[in-house]
Amino acid sequence: IALDSRFQQDVQCVWAGHAIARLVVVDSGGPTEEVTINTNLDPKDAVYRGYRISITGLRPVPRAGKPVPAGEYVATLEVSTE
């Protein structure tokens, strides 16, 4: 996760914020490509070799004063054909 400015679950916020995920995608035998996907701002999806990739969930929700270690993020992705 390159950026996580989502609301913190124990803080009252004006907007939900957003997170940016950078993913390296590869198709068997194909070239790799890095794509960037946002949770609430554009681009909310990326296209790779005819597949559209978007984030449908990102855990854990941040807490005030407790940054989330990079290895603890779990993103739920939706992959569909264009």
Side-chain angles (χ1 to χ4, degrees):
I1 300 299
L3 172 77
D4 188 358
S5 70
R6 296 174 299 152
F7 73 93
Q8 299 168 345
Q9 72 180 25
D10 48 353
V11 175
Q12 191 171 40
C13 296
V14 177
W15 84 298
H18 79 286
I20 299 172
R22 288 199 180 102
L23 309 171
V24 175
V25 293
V26 64
D27 187 5
S28 60
T32 61
E33 183 176 325
E34 184 175 290
V35 297
T36 300
I37 305 171
N38 292 291
T39 56
N40 288 329
L41 302 175
D42 288 332
K44 293 180 186 171
D45 58 20
V47 176
Y48 174 77
R49 297 181 65 123
Y51 293 94
R52 183 170 304 280
I53 306 162
S54 61
I55 297 175
T56 59
L58 183 60
R59 298 176 314 174
V61 175
R63 297 183 67 90
K66 295 183 180 180
V68 177
E72 290 186 15
Y73 280 106
V74 176
T76 304
L77 305 176
E78 179 178 308
V79 180
S80 59
T81 56
E82 275 200 294

